[in-house]
Amino acid sequence: MPRFSLAQIRCQLRQYHQRRRSRCQLLTLDDRLLEDIGITRAQACKEGHKPFWRHASFKRGPYESH
């Protein structure tokens, strides 16, 4: 059985919370803002309705952290 430290679990929970918050915010953007970030309304809806434990389907830009 794998063992996880409390720090690892906290880090994972933070990532889940960040994904959930980001996806909720993505659903509130208007078409102009979606165009600015380079995604369509359909892509935003698909990403915004994903469960928080799933990774993003968009590729990260060169300046985004991993």
Side-chain angles (χ1 to χ4, degrees):
M1 186 163 154
R3 302 183 107 207
F4 299 100
S5 73
L6 188 55
Q8 289 172 315
I9 293 170
R10 268 189 282 192
C11 181
Q12 188 65 53
L13 289 173
R14 267 189 243 113
Q15 288 177 349
Y16 286 165
H17 180 70
Q18 176 62 32
R19 282 187 201 142
R20 183 176 176 273
R21 186 176 38 196
S22 295
R23 288 177 177 159
C24 286
Q25 290 172 343
L26 185 62
L27 292 172
T28 67
L29 298 179
D30 63 26
D31 290 334
R32 181 186 56 83
L33 291 172
L34 291 173
E35 185 179 345
D36 284 349
I37 61 173
I39 63 172
T40 64
R41 170 70 52 201
Q43 289 172 313
C45 287
K46 182 179 177 183
E47 187 65 31
H49 289 100
K50 270 188 185 179
F52 63 84
W53 58 86
R54 294 236 174 115
H55 289 285
S57 57
F58 301 115
K59 293 188 179 189
R60 294 174 188 235
Y63 302 108
E64 293 182 47
S65 61
H66 296 279

